[in-house]
Amino acid sequence: MKMIKSIPTEIRQFLEKEGGSSLFLEGTAGTGKTTLGLQIIEIIGEPDKSFYLSTRVSDQALYNQFPWLEDKEMRAQVMDASKMFLQTIYEEEGEEESSELPESEKQKIESAQEFLSTVREAGPPEEVDRTRLKSLDKKIPGLERTYDRIDKVLPERPLLVIDSIEGITHKYDIDMEEFVTTIQKDLVENSNTNVIMILEAKSRPDLEYLVDGVVQMARYQIENRDVRETRLRKLRAIEIQQPAYLMSLKGGRFKCFEPYELEVMGEREWEPVEAEDGKYSSGTEDLDELLNGGFGAGSYNVFEVKENVSNEEFFSMIRPMFLNFMAQDRGVLAVLTGGTHPENLRRGLTRFIPEETFDKKFRIVEYLQSHSDKPYIMALGGKKGDQFRKSYKEGMESLRGPENKPIIDYVGLDTLEYLQGGEIAVKRLLENVAKTKNTDDVGIGILKPGLNISREIKNMADNYFVIDSINKTPCIYGIKPKTGLYAITTDEEKGTPYIEFKSIV
């Protein structure tokens, strides 16, 4: 499944279902309403059937804000329509009126049309309904021509984006409810038109009952980092499976993120990701960039995992680290976090590396197990003193090999604290971190919520990252070094299990 989409699945389904539909895009300034509206025209609309009605002062204002509209195809699809509307909205009063037919001829035509409508089969309307438009107290320059344009598209389904309702109704001093009702009745219900109406407000419950769908665009902060969200409040006749989506507006484009899923088509072997001298790649190029080239030799790196992060979301981040080390004939020593079963871990990783590589290069420390016939289990339960040191030394020698290669020393800090208690765990951790810093190894600590060890580990870490889940999308941001917020997604080019980071801006 593609994790990054240009339009949420439910909105696409809503606009592609039979008949006309109306949709409010609500949100304060800068939340992405116009970007999404224009992108819906690009993705769903057809060039000669889509129109963008705006109160902006010039086409150039749109080009400046959305450089991707300079694309030739989008010029033809959106900007020509926009330009026509803008010229109409801002044209001088007193434009020469087109000649009208005599009243007697109008009556004959209307009578003939009424008769034909009673004998033809029911189907999409072939002409635009103007009933409500004619009843408006004031004329809106450009709106009548909008109706004319839609009339030429019928019986095919047109798409109209109005940006914004406040701008148009304020300019012409028309009641908003009356305007929305006019659009809903004339164009949506009676003229088979999809209409997207942009509102410059967080929500308008007094108007929402008039339309078929309501989508809210929001922006808030986590740890002083911007988070953008698209909330699906109402989409008539559509099942909303994902009520809110994490989104980004990088490059003036709307992108939303589907929930993370691990999907593998067939078997594939991990291809190592290289790093510069003196560094070890994390297996994720974007993380390497945040780490100034990769994990440093002798560094201790902490990943704080928030309570709402699922095991699969968390492991999507850790999996490449393990795979990349083993694929380069380096070992991993692991004290697993609570809830991680050794067999499940092995099964998940050997989808991308040979089983013999895992058995040779991975050691899972089991403090409660005294014996195991599995080569990847280092059973230390019940062993003390010389016996403990001997078993540990033998395990490490087999893991490092004759060349004494560096390893990842991976510790689930919740397991450490559970087995040894808070004070002893802190002491043992200090010893391990100091030991790591005097080697070429890479220390990785996984910090779960509610641990007494939290404060000490933050101070000891060379690098400190937080993994969070926002609307079922795993995200990461750095405390040391300080970074922005990124969505963790499947690498679009390489596919699973490679991941990449997408900046939330």
Side-chain angles (χ1 to χ4, degrees):
M1 182 186 72
K2 188 175 181 181
M3 285 188 65
I4 307 172
K5 295 195 173 181
S6 53
I7 299 172
T9 300
E10 291 91 341
I11 294 180
R12 180 186 286 273
Q13 293 172 345
F14 175 74
L15 294 172
E16 290 178 347
K17 66 184 176 66
E18 186 176 352
S21 298
S22 56
L23 179 67
F24 272 178
L25 293 184
E26 302 176 334
T28 55
T31 51
K33 304 179 299 297
T34 295
T35 308
L36 178 55
L38 288 169
Q39 212 152 295
I40 288 174
I41 288 180
E42 179 192 22
I43 303 299
I44 296 180
E46 298 181 46
D48 56 345
K49 300 171 187 174
S50 304
F51 309 102
Y52 174 69
L53 175 56
S54 174
T55 52
R56 295 176 183 271
V57 296
S58 69
D59 290 354
Q60 192 59 45
L62 280 172
Y63 281 128
N64 292 340
Q65 188 172 353
F66 307 105
W68 55 276
L69 289 175
E70 295 279 5
D71 179 78
K72 182 178 179 180
E73 184 176 345
M74 279 305 296
R75 274 176 176 262
Q77 186 168 348
V78 179
M79 300 311 298
D80 284 355
S82 175
K83 184 175 180 180
M84 181 272 293
F85 287 129
L86 290 164
Q87 288 175 340
T88 305
I89 290 174
Y90 292 102
E91 68 188 357
E92 295 294 330
E93 295 291 336
E95 181 185 30
E96 183 178 351
E97 298 290 338
S98 58
S99 57
E100 294 189 357
L101 292 171
E103 191 63 32
S104 59
E105 292 299 317
K106 284 185 178 181
Q107 291 177 356
K108 289 179 182 180
I109 292 173
E110 289 175 359
S111 297
Q113 290 174 337
E114 184 177 354
F115 171 74
L116 287 173
S117 67
T118 63
V119 297
R120 66 187 176 207
E121 293 184 3
E126 297 186 0
E127 60 182 34
V128 71
D129 183 33
R130 302 173 188 263
T131 304
R132 290 275 181 167
L133 179 66
K134 292 177 180 178
S135 67
L136 287 177
D137 293 337
K138 298 181 180 180
K139 288 188 176 182
I140 302 178
L143 188 58
E144 292 189 10
R145 287 197 187 177
T146 305
Y147 276 56
D148 292 340
R149 293 282 178 168
I150 290 174
D151 192 63
K152 292 179 180 179
V153 173
L154 296 175
E156 299 296 322
R157 182 165 55 186
L159 171 63
L160 172 65
V161 176
I162 302 175
D163 183 9
S164 65
I165 299 300
E166 290 93 339
I168 292 177
T169 56
H170 177 74
K171 181 176 179 66
Y172 298 103
D173 193 24
I174 294 177
D175 179 72
M176 287 183 64
E177 183 173 348
E178 183 181 11
F179 180 81
V180 172
T181 301
T182 296
I183 299 298
Q184 176 69 21
K185 294 297 182 182
D186 282 356
L187 300 183
V188 179
E189 296 179 12
N190 298 329
S191 301
N192 194 41
T193 302
N194 280 336
V195 180
I196 297 169
M197 293 176 263
I198 294 174
L199 289 92
E200 301 289 345
K202 186 176 180 180
S203 66
R204 286 301 302 264
D206 56 320
L207 298 175
E208 291 170 2
Y209 75 97
L210 296 171
V211 296
D212 305 314
V214 177
V215 171
Q216 292 180 343
M217 317 288 282
R219 180 171 58 183
Y220 59 96
Q221 289 198 329
I222 293 178
E223 297 284 345
N224 297 317
R225 293 161 177 85
D226 279 344
V227 180
R228 294 184 180 273
E229 195 171 74
T230 299
R231 301 166 183 166
L232 311 184
R233 297 294 302 277
K234 177 177 75 169
L235 294 172
R236 191 163 294 159
I238 297 297
E239 180 182 357
I240 299 177
Q241 296 185 343
Q242 177 80 359
Y245 287 85
L246 179 68
M247 54 167 279
S248 177
L249 297 177
K250 187 175 182 180
R253 305 287 290 188
F254 177 94
K255 300 180 183 71
C256 69
F257 299 92
E258 298 275 353
Y260 180 85
E261 290 185 9
L262 176 66
E263 288 193 358
V264 183
M265 303 301 292
E267 297 296 326
R268 61 173 304 173
E269 189 165 338
W270 178 270
E271 297 178 6
V273 180
E274 302 293 339
E276 60 188 57
D277 291 342
K279 298 279 189 175
Y280 304 111
S281 173
S282 65
T284 301
E285 293 178 356
D286 290 333
L287 179 57
D288 290 346
E289 186 175 340
L290 297 182
L291 291 167
N292 195 29
F295 291 126
S299 65
Y300 198 80
N301 309 274
V302 174
F303 293 86
E304 177 186 339
V305 182
K306 295 292 188 180
E307 194 170 10
N308 62 340
V309 178
S310 70
N311 284 338
E312 184 51 55
E313 289 174 330
F314 155 67
F315 203 59
S316 71
M317 184 71 212
I318 303 301
R319 183 188 292 111
M321 302 178 191
F322 291 163
L323 291 172
N324 208 57
F325 250 65
M326 288 188 288
Q328 297 181 81
D329 199 34
R330 299 190 183 108
V332 178
L333 179 70
V335 177
L336 300 181
T337 59
T340 304
H341 194 280
E343 283 298 315
N344 293 337
L345 175 69
R346 182 179 186 272
R347 190 179 304 114
L349 291 175
T350 53
R351 298 169 72 177
F352 311 106
I353 57 169
E355 291 184 353
E356 54 269 25
T357 300
F358 180 89
D359 292 344
K360 179 183 178 183
K361 289 298 175 182
F362 211 100
R363 292 293 178 271
I364 298 173
V365 179
E366 287 285 1
Y367 288 106
L368 301 179
Q369 190 173 338
S370 61
H371 174 75
S372 175
D373 58 358
K374 296 180 174 62
Y376 54 88
I377 297 293
M378 187 186 291
L380 300 178
K383 298 176 182 178
K384 298 180 180 179
D386 291 343
Q387 187 182 20
F388 180 94
R389 285 188 287 272
K390 179 183 177 182
S391 295
Y392 184 83
K393 181 181 179 182
E394 289 175 351
M396 293 301 293
E397 287 177 349
S398 67
L399 192 61
R400 293 183 183 276
E403 298 177 3
N404 196 32
K405 291 185 177 181
I407 64 168
I408 284 180
D409 190 353
Y410 172 93
V411 178
L413 298 171
D414 57 333
T415 301
L416 186 67
E417 185 168 302
Y418 171 76
L419 291 173
Q420 300 181 350
E423 291 185 7
I424 298 177
V426 170
K427 181 180 177 182
R428 183 65 57 84
L429 181 62
L430 285 168
E431 293 173 355
N432 288 345
V433 172
K435 182 179 177 182
T436 298
K437 290 180 179 293
N438 290 319
T439 69
D440 288 335
D441 295 342
V442 174
I444 295 178
I446 305 302
L447 183 64
K448 296 289 187 73
L451 298 183
N452 295 322
I453 210 168
S454 297
R455 184 175 61 184
E456 287 78 8
I457 194 65
K458 289 179 181 178
N459 295 330
M460 290 185 283
D462 296 298
N463 299 296
Y464 190 101
F465 291 89
V466 178
I467 301 174
D468 202 349
S469 181
I470 303 174
N471 298 320
K472 300 180 182 178
T473 296
C475 298
I476 188 169
Y477 57 91
I479 305 295
K480 292 165 54 177
K482 186 175 181 179
T483 74
L485 177 69
Y486 299 89
I488 302 172
T489 72
T490 299
D491 190 304
E492 292 184 282
E493 182 178 338
K494 296 181 178 179
T496 303
Y498 297 89
I499 59 172
E500 58 186 351
F501 297 168
K502 297 294 184 181
S503 180
I504 304 300
V505 296

